Amino acid sequence: MKNILVIGCAGQIGSELTLELRRRYGVDNVIGTDVSLDKITGKLAEGPSEVLDISNTPRLVELVKKYKVDTIYNLAALLSAVAEAKPQLAWEVGLIGHYNTLEVAREHNCAVFFPSSIGSFGPSTPHQNTPQDTIQRPTTMYGVTKVSAELLGDYYHKKYGVDSRGVRFPGIISNVTMPGGGTTDYAVEIYYEAVKHGKYTCPLKAGTFLDMMYMPDAIKACIDVMEADPSKLIHHNGFNVTAMSFDPEILKNAIRKHIPNFELFYDVEPIKQSIADSWPDNMDDSCARQEWGWSPTWNLETMTEDMIKVIRAKNL
Ligand code: AKB
C-alpha cells in the first residue's frame, strides 16, 4: 500500500495530481500539503491536508512519521520568470528544499518524484530534437536549481539507494489552477483570453517554439514514471517528456478553428523572451518511451478543442 505525500498540492500540477493519486491509491493514502491550509480548498480539502513549508524539515519528518509516508511528490518551486525576480528564494525553495526532501527520504526510506523542466537546458544545448543526455548549462536560477536537483536525485539514488525519479516537463497547459510566473504561461492565458475577449497579447514573439503538454498527460507522466519497473530504468531523474511543439502563431491558428475572429497581438517581455530563447524548440523523449512506455495522448488539436470547451463551461 502506498502512502503518498504531495508537497505543493494546491499549485498548477498539484491540484490535479493529488486528486488523481487519491482516485488511484485511496483518498486517505494521499496527503496534500501546502504552505497554508487556506490554499487547500474544494475537492482537495476532502482528503488529508496539512500545512508544510518545504524549508521546515522537522515538520516534513513529523508528517512522514504521522502518515507512514513511503512516497513524496515534491512540487514546490518558483516558476522561471518569477525565479529571475527572486533568485535567492528560488534557490531556497527549488534546491535547498529538494535537498532536505532527499535527506528525509534517505532517513525514512521514501521514494521521491521531482519535476524538472525544459528550463534545465540552456543556450548551448542543441535546440532541435534535444537529446536526453546533452549539455545542460542553464542561464536562469530556475534552470540552475532544476539541473542541480536532477543531479542530486541521481546522486542519492547511486550513493544511498533512494528511489528518486522524475521528468523534464515542457510548458503544461491546464484549466483547473492557473500557473504563475512561468515563461510558458502564455499558452494557458491565451485560451482564457480567447474565450473571454476574443483577443490576446502575447509576451513571446512569433517563431518562439517550445515543447508543451496537456495536463492529463503530465499527470500520467508523474504517476507512470513512479510505477515503472526499476529493472527497465537506465535513467532515473529528468526524463525528457513532450507531447507537442508550437509557436504562438501555430497556437493562434489552432484556436481560430474554434473562434474564427480570435486576434493575436504581441508585446514582447524581454526577460521571458530571453528565457524562452535559451530553451529547446523540441525535445527527443525516446528514453522515456523506451524505459517506461511514455506516450502522450493529447495533441494540439484535441487539447485546443477540450480547453475551449472546458473554459466556455466556466462561464467566466
Ligand atoms: C515555466 O515556464 O517556468 C515552466 C516550465 C517550462 O518549467 N512552465
Side-chain angles (χ1 to χ4, degrees):
M1 177 60 79
K2 277 195 191 299
N3 286 320
I4 300 172
L5 184 130
V6 181
I7 304 176
C9 76
Q12 187 197 11
I13 300 177
S15 58
E16 298 197 49
L17 175 65
T18 304
L19 297 186
E20 179 59 19
L21 289 169
R22 284 181 178 157
R23 203 182 63 73
R24 292 202 194 197
Y25 302 110
V27 171
D28 292 339
N29 300 323
V30 181
I31 300 97
T33 75
D34 216 301
V35 288
S36 141
L37 274 190
D38 295 345
K39 287 177 169 260
I40 307 177
T41 55
K43 271 188 92 60
L44 264 186
E46 289 172 15
S49 309
E50 298 277 359
V51 175
L52 173 65
D53 180 327
I54 194 164
S55 63
N56 188 344
T57 310
R59 173 75 175 148
L60 177 57
V61 171
E62 184 190 324
L63 294 177
V64 165
K65 285 186 180 161
K66 176 174 170 186
Y67 292 99
K68 299 188 172 36
V69 168
D70 54 39
T71 305
I72 303 173
Y73 279 80
N74 176 15
L75 307 177
L78 271 61
L79 291 184
S80 55
V82 79
E84 284 311 285
K86 300 176 185 173
Q88 293 77 12
L89 184 61
W91 174 264
E92 286 295 328
V93 175
L95 195 63
I96 306 297
H98 194 58
Y99 167 76
N100 294 338
T101 304
L102 285 167
E103 270 294 291
V104 172
R106 175 178 73 81
E107 285 175 353
H108 298 272
N109 202 18
C110 301
V112 176
F113 172 85
F114 178 76
S116 185
S117 158
I118 50 174
S120 68
F121 297 116
S124 52
T125 301
H127 280 200
Q128 303 297 329
N129 211 23
T130 304
Q132 174 67 38
D133 301 310
T134 187
I135 301 165
Q136 286 180 281
R137 305 281 300 169
T139 46
T140 62
M141 179 54 92
Y142 182 67
V144 170
T145 64
K146 290 296 187 191
V147 75
S148 306
E150 285 181 15
L151 293 170
L152 264 183
D154 283 344
Y155 181 83
Y156 271 70
H157 176 256
K158 189 157 173 268
K159 177 130 180 135
Y160 301 116
V162 173
D163 189 4
S164 167
R165 304 184 190 185
V167 297
R168 288 183 192 130
F169 273 134
I172 296 176
I173 296 163
S174 66
N175 51 48
V176 174
T177 305
M178 294 299 273
T183 303
T184 60
D185 290 10
Y186 94 87
V188 180
E189 292 159 3
I190 194 170
Y191 285 106
Y192 280 84
E193 292 305 307
V195 171
K196 282 196 287 185
H197 303 118
K199 59 184 182 192
Y200 177 65
T201 302
C202 186
L204 299 182
K205 63 186 181 204
T208 307
F209 279 81
L210 290 167
D211 280 297
M212 300 280 175
M213 182 183 293
Y214 198 27
M215 184 62 93
D217 278 332
I219 301 300
K220 185 159 71 104
C222 293
I223 296 175
D224 286 359
V225 73
M226 295 307 283
E227 290 285 350
D229 176 351
S231 71
K232 303 254 164 56
L233 296 182
I234 298 164
H235 301 85
H236 293 267
N237 298 279
F239 277 99
N240 286 1
V241 285
T242 185
M244 59 194 99
S245 167
F246 54 73
D247 84 323
E249 288 292 302
I250 292 175
L251 183 50
K252 174 184 81 180
N253 292 331
I255 292 172
R256 276 194 180 162
K257 289 186 186 150
H258 303 270
I259 306 174
N261 295 329
F262 173 61
E263 285 190 284
L264 184 60
F265 303 101
Y266 291 93
D267 184 8
V268 171
E269 288 179 30
I271 291 181
K272 285 191 176 174
Q273 186 65 50
S274 78
I275 295 173
D277 288 344
S278 75
W279 291 354
D281 291 2
N282 53 76
M283 288 188 289
D284 169 9
D285 60 5
S286 53
C287 288
R289 288 172 185 267
Q290 283 154 20
E291 293 176 41
W292 49 276
W294 161 247
S295 175
T297 301
W298 297 80
N299 61 31
L300 178 58
E301 282 68 40
T302 53
M303 175 183 77
T304 298
E305 191 182 340
D306 199 57
M307 280 294 283
I308 291 174
K309 190 179 81 191
V310 173
I311 296 168
R312 276 189 175 140
K314 289 178 191 266
N315 287 321
L316 297 168

